Amino acid sequence: MNSNKILDQKNLTQITQKYGIMILFSILSIIISIVTPNFLNSQNIINILRQSSIIGVMAIGTTFVIIGGGFDISVGSVLALSAAMALGLQAEMHWMLATAVVLLVGIAIGFCNGFLAAKIGIVPIIATLGTQTFVRGLTYMYTGGYPITGESKGFQFIGSGYIGSIPFPIILLLTMVAIWQFVLSKTPLGRYSCAIGGNKEATRLSGVNVDFYQIMTFMIGGGMAAMAGIVYAARLNSATPLAGQGYDLDAIASTVIGGTTVSGGQGSIIGTLIGVLLMTILNNMFNLMGVQVYVQYLVKGMIILLVVGIDSYSKKQKN
């Protein structure tokens, strides 16, 4: 009898750990749909997905970095520089070429972050703190401290165009989720990233080129932050040196809420997508309720501490 009870408790704990975020998302959606009858209509769902697209694209890269045992707080600055360059370069070249250049710049910044963390041995959060400040300075230098606007209608399609009745940013987000979930779960890059985050030295001893794969996770993070910057610039057709401030916090919060272990080794892109949707719904609720911005920061910080605390405590109990 006691053994059955212990087994049931163990199964309940495993189910909560595996599907907790989905259960929380469902409960929150039901509560909001009761309070706000129009919440579940198709137009509102599309609006939520569209609002989630920029943070969602950025959070995909953040997920890879954290799963690989790293941490990247420079993504907000990368978004700002990418948005400014995507608009500014249109005066010099076709917008498609400008977009490709911006993506390469984001990947290059990610490579620098990975190199500093993996090869030089700087703690990732300190390395990316330095990069964050450096890239923000580059953004001020590039823009001269003034907003930059674009002229290309084709470029604006990325942020505000439609395919059928669905906004293009939603299609881009869902496509990226499908591609990177496949990479994470079905390719050596994804498997080795999880292994490195779970136990770096054991993975190194098994013959895996740990430094290479850890740098790759940062390059994915930089590339996706640059892509988020392109969507941001295309949507607003404008970028300022202050763009992207606070986006790094939202991306990290969405990732850990989505079930990615802060110490690395576990996580999924689909979980991150649900975390992004949860954060977007919370932001909508705050705005509808007229909650001040500083209170929103307090609540987000508490959510991160709560999720990270539960994760760390669970690991401590297992050990």
Side-chain angles (χ1 to χ4, degrees), residues 26-279:
S26 301
I27 292 172
L28 186 62
S29 298
I30 291 169
I31 292 173
I32 296 176
S33 63
I34 292 171
V35 176
T36 310
N38 292 328
F39 176 72
L40 288 179
N41 69 35
S42 58
Q43 188 57 46
N44 195 47
I45 291 173
I46 286 177
N47 285 337
I48 290 172
L49 284 169
R50 180 159 53 185
Q51 291 171 14
S52 304
S53 58
I54 296 174
I55 295 296
V57 169
M58 179 184 284
I60 290 171
T62 301
T63 303
F64 266 88
V65 174
I66 294 179
I67 283 177
F71 218 79
D72 188 351
I73 59 173
S74 70
V75 288
S77 296
V78 175
L79 180 146
L81 179 62
S82 304
M85 288 184 67
L87 294 168
L89 289 176
Q90 290 176 24
E92 312 291 335
M93 59 186 75
H94 191 275
W95 68 267
M96 287 188 181
L97 184 57
T99 301
V101 171
V102 167
L103 286 174
L104 289 175
V105 169
I107 292 170
I109 295 172
F111 173 81
C112 293
N113 283 330
F115 185 84
L116 291 171
K119 292 292 187 183
I120 307 299
I122 302 176
V123 176
I125 194 169
I126 301 299
T128 55
L129 176 63
T131 313
Q132 177 194 50
T133 307
F134 182 80
V135 174
R136 186 67 68 179
L138 282 179
T139 309
Y140 272 99
M141 188 183 296
Y142 184 79
T143 61
Y146 295 100
I148 290 183
T149 57
E151 299 176 354
S152 171
K153 296 293 182 186
F155 178 71
Q156 293 172 29
F157 178 84
I158 297 174
S160 54
Y162 283 77
I163 294 181
S165 59
I166 303 176
F168 181 74
I170 296 177
I171 296 173
L172 179 65
L173 171 63
L174 297 180
T175 303
M176 290 297 109
V177 168
I179 291 173
W180 290 111
Q181 177 63 42
F182 175 82
V183 171
L184 182 62
S185 58
K186 301 293 184 184
T187 68
L189 172 60
R191 289 194 291 271
Y192 290 149
S193 297
C194 292
I196 292 167
N199 192 325
K200 188 173 181 179
E201 286 311 309
T203 308
R204 192 191 303 277
L205 291 172
S206 65
V208 175
N209 189 341
V210 168
D211 292 349
F212 170 78
Y213 285 105
Q214 191 166 29
I215 291 172
M216 285 292 292
T217 62
F218 279 96
M219 290 172 69
I220 294 169
M224 297 308 291
M227 185 179 290
I230 291 167
V231 177
Y232 177 96
R235 184 172 176 181
L236 301 179
N237 198 33
S238 176
T240 71
L242 296 175
Q245 285 189 328
Y247 280 40
D248 44 5
L249 177 65
D250 284 347
I252 293 169
S254 302
T255 302
V256 296
I257 289 171
T260 298
T261 306
V262 178
S263 55
Q266 294 180 356
S268 75
I269 304 300
I270 293 174
T272 295
L273 175 63
I274 296 174
V276 171
L277 294 176
L278 266 174
M279 291 296 293

